[in-house]
Amino acid sequence: MTRSTPHPGAQSAPAPEPLSAQEIEGIRADFPYLARPARNGEPLAYLDWAATSQKPLGVIAAEEDFYRRSNGAAGRSTYQLADEATSAWEDAREAVAGFVGARPGELVFTKNATEALNLVALAIGHASAGRGAASGALTRDAADPARRLAIGPGDEVVVSRAEHHANLVPWQELCARTGAALRWLDLDPQGRIDLGTLGVISERTRVVALTHASNVTGAITPLERILPRAREAGALVVLDTCQSAAHLPLDFAALAAAGVDAMVLSSHKMCGPTGIGALVATEDLLEAMPPVLTGGSMIEVVTMTSSTYMSGPARFEAGSQPLAQAAGWRAAVDYVGRIGLDRLHATETLLAGRLLEGLERTPGVRLLGPHDTRERLGVVAFTIEGVHPHDVGQVLDAAGVAVRTGHHCAQPIHAHAGIHASSRASLGPCSTVGEVDRFLSAVTDVRRYFQR
């Protein structure tokens, strides 16, 4: 098995060393979920990190500590608690932005990554309505940055067949509202982007919205081949990094230089709390985007007949914010940063190789993604001949192994594979060789159980 190679946005560094077994055990000691047994009384082998990550003690403590000591109305008063709440909010913005190589002024907090994607799509729709849905011939260096947001009949939005529904449905809705057409990059038999379909990015393309890594196949999108085409078209590029940001070191400055305008993050997949995510976007794009949600906190002057809005991230952060969750997310990126995403990825790559090889040796198992670790994450979807994925999940659960079953909010990629659902194992900071081997043993038992 070969390791993943560099890609746009990945921070360059010497080949990292995988974590030692002793280091992994030290990490596992920080996660309280491991203290409770699985359904069968044995230690839980949690292999559903792609759906949601478990939380280390420091993250739980940070969220609790905010409520205990610093709970106040951020940005609204000058008393001590309010000042501390404001500081916690902005410190979290700086920490999360820095974790992905962005500036604080480029990060908008949202309630999740789905909201962040909808925020961009809705802002484009609002901008288009304001311009009568007449985009004209747009270029990246147009004098009016807002012109890049205008979209209408004759224009096109490009996605891929590998998208999570959160990065597909908002663009379907945008096209339905504006009269634009939806196009997509297709996939090869192993679920990788079929570069033979790059021709769908054309002079009509106004938006290219892509997953950075599939939550079904684990395949990493070949940005180095796609971004030049998008830049030539003058298209706005939106990247869904919910999977990659949790497993790969990212550098938004490098991605932006290569042509990415925005990317979205999900705290709960990065060892952080639920209920908070982020849009990371260039300052030019944030300045051009009209607000989507309006109300308190994002305004400058309000009269009975009109309002003016703040600039930067604040323009998109209306209302009360998830302050405690932000404090927890800051603790999460600090925690993962101390371990090193590069070392975590190297470790997960080795484990993924063991997992893939074991599944390939198991009769009746079909892998949905790439069969090697080249340009992929430790996310492995599979089916077992003659067994429904939900039954697979139940048998594994009885063996103390937790995996995801269903369509994983990605029905089109399953349709591409000719199936409706699959089972999926995914790796994280606490994953071990022993857990992978328990999983493989349980998969063998699944087929034996249903053949009786």
Side-chain angles (χ1 to χ4, degrees):
M1 299 288 177
T2 57
R3 292 185 181 177
S4 296
T5 54
H7 52 88
Q11 297 172 353
S12 59
E17 287 294 323
L19 297 164
S20 67
Q22 183 177 8
E23 287 174 309
I24 293 174
E25 284 306 309
I27 292 170
R28 287 168 67 85
D30 294 331
F31 285 78
Y33 84 93
L34 288 164
R36 62 164 297 174
R39 202 183 299 272
N40 65 349
E42 296 183 11
L44 173 64
Y46 185 79
L47 297 178
D48 196 21
W49 294 86
T52 193
S53 62
Q54 296 295 331
K55 321 305 176 193
L57 288 165
V59 170
I60 298 169
E63 192 167 352
E64 179 185 15
D65 187 63
F66 175 85
Y67 282 128
R68 286 183 178 275
R69 299 170 54 87
S70 303
N71 185 41
R76 289 173 170 82
S77 296
T78 57
Y79 56 87
Q80 183 179 6
L81 288 178
D83 285 346
E84 290 177 0
T86 302
S87 294
W89 180 246
E90 295 304 333
D91 287 350
R93 190 191 310 278
E94 183 175 358
V96 176
F99 186 74
V100 294
R103 295 188 296 271
E106 295 173 320
L107 187 139
V108 176
F109 281 122
T110 59
K111 71 172 180 287
N112 49 45
T114 298
E115 182 181 73
L117 288 163
N118 276 274
L119 191 161
V120 178
L122 289 169
I124 292 173
H126 290 355
S128 301
R131 290 178 173 271
S135 62
L138 307 185
T139 60
R140 291 186 64 89
D141 59 352
D144 180 4
R147 282 184 58 77
R148 296 188 61 215
L149 300 179
I151 187 171
D155 294 332
E156 296 177 352
V157 174
V158 172
V159 295
S160 82
R161 195 183 290 272
E163 300 310 316
H164 187 284
H165 297 161
N167 199 35
L168 174 58
V169 179
W171 305 112
Q172 292 175 340
E173 291 295 311
L174 175 65
C175 289
R177 290 192 302 270
T178 62
L182 188 72
R183 301 285 184 260
W184 53 88
L185 296 164
D186 227 318
L187 306 176
D188 68 17
Q190 287 201 2
R192 296 188 185 275
I193 299 291
D194 181 356
L195 294 175
T197 63
L198 274 178
V200 298
I201 302 176
S202 71
E203 69 278 358
R204 295 181 180 273
T205 304
R206 295 291 172 258
V207 179
V208 176
L210 298 172
T211 182
H212 193 197
S214 168
N215 72 316
V216 176
T217 67
I220 297 173
T221 298
L223 297 179
E224 70 283 354
R225 297 290 301 277
I226 298 172
L227 293 181
R229 293 292 293 261
R231 168 170 270 175
E232 183 180 353
L236 193 76
V237 177
V238 181
L239 202 60
D240 175 359
T241 68
C242 288
Q243 294 298 325
S244 58
H247 302 277
L248 294 172
L250 299 183
D251 183 350
F252 181 67
L255 286 165
V260 173
D261 297 279
M263 67 184 194
V264 301
L265 305 171
S266 179
S267 164
H268 79 101
K269 297 184 189 295
M270 300 168 64
C271 295
T274 57
I276 187 168
L279 168 68
V280 180
T282 64
E283 292 178 352
D284 284 347
L285 176 58
L286 292 181
E287 189 63 30
M289 286 168 52
V292 173
L293 299 176
T294 54
S297 301
M298 48 75 67
I299 50 82
E300 291 178 326
V301 177
V302 177
T303 71
M304 289 306 297
T305 56
S306 65
S307 301
T308 60
Y309 306 118
M310 298 182 72
S311 60
R315 183 199 299 246
F316 306 101
E317 294 175 348
S320 300
Q321 297 299 328
L323 305 176
Q325 290 88 338
W329 197 2
R330 177 192 176 175
V333 297
D334 287 347
Y335 179 83
V336 175
R338 287 193 299 272
I339 299 170
L341 267 180
D342 53 351
R343 298 194 67 202
L344 282 172
H345 179 56
T347 306
E348 290 170 11
T349 299
L350 291 177
L351 293 174
R354 189 182 188 94
L355 195 157
L356 288 165
E357 289 172 354
L359 286 176
E360 282 194 289
R361 291 196 304 266
T362 306
V365 169
R366 176 192 174 191
L367 293 174
L368 298 192
H371 292 202
D372 60 31
T373 59
R374 178 181 58 86
E375 286 298 307
R376 64 126 58 232
L377 301 178
V379 178
V380 181
F382 63 98
T383 61
I384 299 179
E385 183 181 359
V387 185
H388 193 281
H390 290 171
D391 293 331
V392 173
Q394 287 187 325
V395 174
L396 295 183
D397 178 56
V401 179
V403 300
R404 174 77 180 268
T405 62
H407 53 62
H408 321 313
C409 296
Q411 292 184 33
I413 194 171
H414 281 85
H416 174 73
I419 57 177
H420 297 291
S422 64
S423 303
R424 184 189 68 192
S426 52
L427 304 169
C430 294
S431 301
T432 65
V433 170
E435 289 185 338
V436 169
D437 289 347
R438 283 181 60 196
F439 162 77
L440 293 171
S441 176
V443 167
T444 301
D445 290 342
V446 169
R447 201 151 184 267
R448 185 181 302 120
Y449 178 85
F450 283 97
Q451 284 182 338
R452 287 192 223 178

